[in-house]
């Protein structure tokens, strides 16, 4: 049976490995996750590595034993090669966990595989595919919990730091347009800022110009030879008018942000800016 890791009071990540415990997480899941990064994949095992090849053969034999099946030597060799070639991203630890789950008739492996008294390639393939699905779910769950805990550990950005960062954003935006360049409002940060604080009057004339700009930007994107993937997407039957409209509106919002930055009095804005203006 897989050895469990001891529970710790803290979590540490070292070279992608989880050292410690995670809330509401089975220690075996952490082991599977860690082995994904620390163990050699089957595709990395050389045929000349007799020790590891022998270990794989041993696990396959144990698989048969767990099911009450005697696997002859030639079948062990055949299955060894089959597993390494068709499940290259698994590791020896994975094989051992899979055998343990099979031996306990675990519901964690969702498969209709039946061995009918013989360890065949079809049966082994079905079970290992089920294990791959199980492993993927386990690793994704562990990773999500790790990311959540790491995010919670990050110190909250201070009001002063946030103000400083936004002032730098405005300064760089103004510098960009003053140099005659297009200001790319990534994430629509500036657009959201000016709308939230009602810093611009969006009248019919501005809306018209913004939508025209959005249409132009859309057509340029389609015709640009460097946007081959976009052209393919446009020509695809799954590309709907709704998707086009969203792209046009996104371009329109960028036009508004560009327009505001061009007409912004930078010195006045930097003096007027408060932390409360960033709470949107």
């Amino acid at each position: 049976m897989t050895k469990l890791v001891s529970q710790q009071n803290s979590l540490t990540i070292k070279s992608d490995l989880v050292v410690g415990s995670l809330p509401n997480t089975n220690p075996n899941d952490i082991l599977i996750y860690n082995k994904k990064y620390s163990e050699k994949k089957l595709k990395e095992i050389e045929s000349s590595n007799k020790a590891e090849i022998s270990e794989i053969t041993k696990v396959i034999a144990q698989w048969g034993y767990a099911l009450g099946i005697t696997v002859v030597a030639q079948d062990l060799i055949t299955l060894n090669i089959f597993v390494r070639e068709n499940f290259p991203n698994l590791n020896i630890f994975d094989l051992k966990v899979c055998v343990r789950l099979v031996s306990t008739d675990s519901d964690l492996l969702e498969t209709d595989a039946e061995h009918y008294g013989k360890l065949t390639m079809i049966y082994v393939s079905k079970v290992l595919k089920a294990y791959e699905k199980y492993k993927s779910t386990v690793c994704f769950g562990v990773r999500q919990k790790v990311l959540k805990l790491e995010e919670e550990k990050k110190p909250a950005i201070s009001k002063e730091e946030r103000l400083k960062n936004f002032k730098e954003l405005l300064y760089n935006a103004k510098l960009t347009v003053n140099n005659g360049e297009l200001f790319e409002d990534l994430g629509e940060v500036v657009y959201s800022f000016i709308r939230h604080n009602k810093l611009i009057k969006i009248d019919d004339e501005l809306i018209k110009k913004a939508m025209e700009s959005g249409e132009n930007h859309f057509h340029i994107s389609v015709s640009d030879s460097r946007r081959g993937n976009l052209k393919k997407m446009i020509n695809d039957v799954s590309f709907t008018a709704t998707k086009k409209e969203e792209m046009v509106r996104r371009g329109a919002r960028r036009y508004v942000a560009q327009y505001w930055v061009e007409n912004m009095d930078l010195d006045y804005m930097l003096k007027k800016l408060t932390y409360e203006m960033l709470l949107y």
Side-chain angles (χ1 to χ4, degrees):
M1 182 174 288
T2 305
K3 183 180 179 181
L4 302 183
V5 296
S6 60
Q7 294 287 342
Q8 304 290 328
N9 295 322
S10 61
L11 172 73
T12 305
I13 305 298
K14 295 181 179 179
S15 301
D16 290 323
L17 302 183
V18 177
V19 180
S21 62
L22 285 170
N24 304 315
T25 304
N26 189 315
N28 282 335
D29 289 353
I30 296 177
L31 266 177
I32 292 173
Y33 177 85
N34 283 343
K35 294 293 186 179
K36 176 182 177 180
Y37 297 102
S38 64
E39 291 285 297
K40 187 184 295 184
K41 292 180 173 61
L42 297 183
K43 65 182 177 183
E44 298 170 338
I45 297 176
E46 299 290 341
S47 298
S48 58
N49 190 325
K50 294 183 178 180
E52 290 180 314
I53 294 297
S54 176
E55 185 70 10
I56 295 172
T57 299
K58 180 180 178 182
V59 175
I60 295 172
Q62 290 174 340
W63 190 341
Y65 178 78
L67 298 174
I69 300 170
T70 300
V71 187
V72 299
Q74 185 57 49
D75 287 346
L76 286 174
I77 295 173
T78 301
L79 288 171
N80 188 314
I81 296 172
F82 174 79
V83 169
R84 285 186 288 121
E85 289 182 347
N86 292 276
F87 298 90
N89 292 317
L90 294 182
N91 54 59
I92 294 177
F93 179 80
D94 287 324
L95 299 181
K96 293 178 179 179
V97 174
C98 184
V99 170
R100 177 173 62 82
L101 294 175
V102 169
S103 66
T104 58
D105 197 22
S106 174
D107 293 332
L108 295 176
L109 294 182
E110 299 178 3
T111 178
D112 60 354
E114 294 288 348
H115 57 78
Y116 301 112
K118 186 174 177 61
L119 212 60
T120 64
M121 287 186 286
I122 293 177
Y123 166 75
V124 168
S125 179
K126 283 187 175 182
V127 174
L128 288 180
K129 284 179 180 178
Y131 177 79
E132 283 184 323
K133 182 179 179 181
Y134 163 70
K135 178 184 177 181
S136 177
T137 301
V138 166
C139 291
F140 179 80
V142 172
R143 185 59 183 163
Q144 288 299 105
K145 290 177 181 179
V146 168
L147 291 175
K148 182 179 179 181
L149 287 178
E150 288 183 331
E151 190 65 29
E152 291 174 352
K153 287 182 178 181
K154 290 182 180 179
I157 186 170
S158 66
K159 294 181 179 180
E160 294 75 16
E161 186 68 17
R162 189 169 179 184
L163 268 174
K164 176 177 174 292
N165 291 342
F166 202 84
K167 286 180 178 180
E168 288 180 356
L169 172 63
L170 294 179
Y171 176 83
N172 290 328
K174 191 67 174 180
L175 183 63
T176 297
V177 298
N178 285 346
N179 288 335
E181 301 173 16
L182 178 65
F183 167 60
E184 291 285 347
D185 186 21
L186 300 178
E188 300 184 359
V189 175
V190 170
Y191 177 81
S192 300
F193 169 73
I194 60 181
R195 283 299 302 271
H196 174 75
N197 293 288
K198 300 178 180 179
L199 299 176
I200 189 173
K201 180 182 179 181
I202 303 181
D203 54 22
D204 292 341
E205 182 179 357
L206 180 57
I207 292 175
K208 180 182 178 181
K209 290 181 178 179
M211 292 302 291
E212 288 176 350
S213 176
E215 284 281 356
N216 290 335
H217 181 76
F218 173 79
H219 290 299
I220 290 172
S221 297
V222 173
S223 61
D224 193 335
S225 60
R226 292 172 298 177
R227 304 293 181 92
N229 290 334
L230 177 58
K231 287 196 295 183
K232 181 179 179 182
M233 181 179 72
I234 299 299
N235 293 328
D236 193 273
V237 293
S238 64
F239 187 84
T240 64
T242 302
K243 293 179 181 178
K244 174 189 174 182
E245 181 182 1
E246 173 53 31
M247 292 179 69
V248 170
R249 289 185 176 278
R250 190 181 307 140
R253 292 191 290 270
R254 288 184 178 180
Y255 174 88
V256 172
Q258 171 89 7
Y259 176 83
W260 180 80
V261 172
E262 288 175 349
N263 294 279
M264 170 187 61
D265 183 330
L266 181 60
D267 291 335
Y268 173 76
M269 193 69 247
L270 294 180
K271 291 178 182 178
K272 179 184 177 182
L273 187 65
T274 64
Y275 175 75
E276 285 68 30
M277 295 174 71
L278 306 180
L279 301 178
Y280 57 89

